[in-house]
Amino acid sequence: MPALMIDLALQGGGSHGAYTWGVLDRLLEDPDLQIEGISGTSAGAMNAAVLASGWAEGGAAGARAALDAFWLEIGHAALLSPFRRGLLDILRGRWTVDSSPGYLAYDIAARLVSPYQVNPGNLNPLRAILDRTIDFARLMRGPIKLFIAATNVRTGQGRIFRNAELTPDVLLASACLPNLFQAVEIDGESYWDGGYSGNPTLTPLVRQCGARDTVIVQINPVERPGTPRDAREIANRINEVSFNATLLKELRMIAVLRGVANPGVCEGAAWAEMRIHRITSPALAELGFSSQLNAEQPFLTLLHAEGRLSADAFITAHRDDLGKRSTLDLDALLEE
């Protein structure tokens, strides 16, 4: 049986990217799936680059080992993080850091001072981890096409970085939350988190990849019950809505084009021919937004396990749909 070519679209979401790690770990176990391209933003960009680097060295097994090593290092680095659960969160069995003294101090300081004042040296522990776990030279000649999104601060437009352009700075730019880190300068331009312009973007997968099955790994909840009441809940929900907006817009465009495009005649046909699939978990909506800053190893392990379960459920239910039909109901997006 020939390998089935698929693309991946990986959302960002801080430490919740460990859920995506679990999804990828399970997908990489399937010998019949071949990854052609990956679009990634923020934590999704990290997962994409680590996977592609490991794949270039040792195929699927190398990719799985590289992801394991990366997230293990993230967990070790979290031992020195100020964003650790407070006693109240631990006693209540929550993974949020809402009662963490470090998080509370950050939450207040972010309204008054900028990263340029509190972190003038622009220290970021992720840089050293990326240097140790990703072979950027291999990415340039690796078989998996990468499309990493960052947002140009000056123009507000997204920029897509491809394999030959990837550096630690590009990945840090894709994950640069402006209240936490200084903007990352690349080629004389400053960049913030790619989630503001594409989380993730599907456009390069359509235009530059031959695969017609795209699997979206979505870690930011689209829906939440009830209406947020306090200031933190409101701010958190605003972030979730804004970080999903561009993806939902592209999915709606695909749904529209399916109804009007003439196959084989225009670029719109390529969009219309895409088969879209989504892997997510309702468990992610139960986690508080601040838990995205919690990188304690037990939490990462929990997310990884949930990701594997979600991917396994997807493969069991939809393996035969790949290459034939979409499993995400795009028409429902047009009814909203």
Side-chain angles (χ1 to χ4, degrees):
M1 178 178 178
L4 176 63
M5 298 296 293
I6 64 171
D7 293 329
L8 299 174
L10 310 181
Q11 270 199 333
S15 64
H16 291 189
Y19 170 83
T20 303
W21 164 36
V23 170
L24 298 175
D25 192 42
R26 177 62 185 89
L27 294 179
L28 287 165
E29 286 182 344
D30 192 324
D32 296 325
L33 295 180
Q34 178 72 45
I35 301 169
E36 180 181 6
I38 309 177
S39 175
T41 298
S42 195
M46 308 285 178
N47 277 319
V50 171
L51 184 156
S53 175
W55 185 287
E57 180 179 7
R64 294 181 65 201
L67 286 165
D68 288 351
F70 173 78
W71 285 101
L72 183 62
E73 291 228 24
I74 294 293
H76 286 163
L79 295 173
L80 301 177
S81 170
F83 302 128
R84 297 183 62 80
R85 287 183 298 164
L87 180 60
L88 185 60
D89 290 321
I90 294 174
L91 291 176
R92 292 183 176 179
R94 302 185 308 190
W95 293 104
T96 60
V97 294
D98 289 339
S99 66
S100 162
Y103 178 74
L104 292 172
Y106 156 74
D107 197 33
I108 295 172
R111 307 169 198 268
L112 303 172
V113 295
S114 80
Y116 295 86
Q117 296 168 298
V118 298
N119 185 11
N122 200 23
L123 300 177
N124 190 330
L126 267 176
R127 181 180 296 278
I129 295 175
L130 295 174
D131 284 334
R132 289 194 296 269
T133 57
I134 298 176
D135 187 330
F136 288 90
R138 277 202 176 96
L139 292 184
M140 295 183 185
R141 58 181 185 272
I144 297 177
K145 301 173 184 176
L146 296 180
F147 308 98
I148 305 303
T151 304
N152 186 302
V153 178
R154 179 179 59 85
T155 66
Q157 299 297 310
R159 175 177 171 182
I160 302 301
F161 294 87
R162 293 161 177 80
N163 294 58
E165 303 169 293
L166 296 185
T167 65
D169 278 342
V170 168
L171 297 181
L172 293 176
S174 184
C176 180
L177 294 174
N179 289 329
L180 196 56
F181 298 109
Q182 296 180 26
V184 180
E185 186 171 315
I186 302 171
D187 300 331
E189 295 280 2
S190 296
Y191 290 90
W192 282 341
D193 195 295
Y196 298 114
S197 54
N199 192 23
T201 179
L202 304 180
T203 302
L205 298 177
V206 177
R207 292 180 172 176
Q208 299 180 42
C209 292
R212 282 294 169 257
D213 285 84
T214 296
V215 179
I216 301 169
V217 183
Q218 190 164 13
I219 57 181
N220 290 297
V222 174
E223 297 184 5
R224 276 194 185 275
T227 302
R229 299 292 182 182
D230 65 39
R232 181 174 294 156
E233 288 178 345
I234 291 170
N236 291 346
R237 187 55 183 151
I238 289 173
N239 281 329
E240 287 178 343
V241 170
S242 63
F243 280 145
N244 276 323
T246 53
L247 174 61
L248 292 175
K249 182 179 180 180
E250 285 189 297
L251 291 175
R252 288 190 181 98
M253 180 174 66
I254 294 172
V256 170
L257 289 173
R258 279 184 172 173
V260 301
N262 186 2
V265 174
C266 62
E267 183 180 352
W271 285 90
E273 292 167 0
M274 287 187 70
R275 293 180 289 268
I276 306 297
H277 316 274
R278 179 171 64 186
I279 298 177
T280 188
S281 169
L284 295 172
E286 298 174 4
L287 299 171
F289 185 81
S290 70
S291 66
Q292 293 189 6
L293 295 174
N294 179 1
E296 297 174 41
Q297 193 65 58
F299 183 46
L300 301 182
T301 300
L302 178 71
L303 289 167
H304 172 267
E306 182 64 26
R308 281 191 58 88
L309 285 173
S310 297
D312 193 65
F314 172 81
I315 290 173
T316 299
H318 299 300
R319 181 64 180 81
D320 291 340
D321 294 316
L322 293 172
K324 298 177 182 177
R325 62 186 69 86
S326 289
T327 57
L328 178 62
D329 185 6
L330 297 179
D331 292 334
L333 297 174
L334 299 178
E335 300 171 0
E336 298 177 357

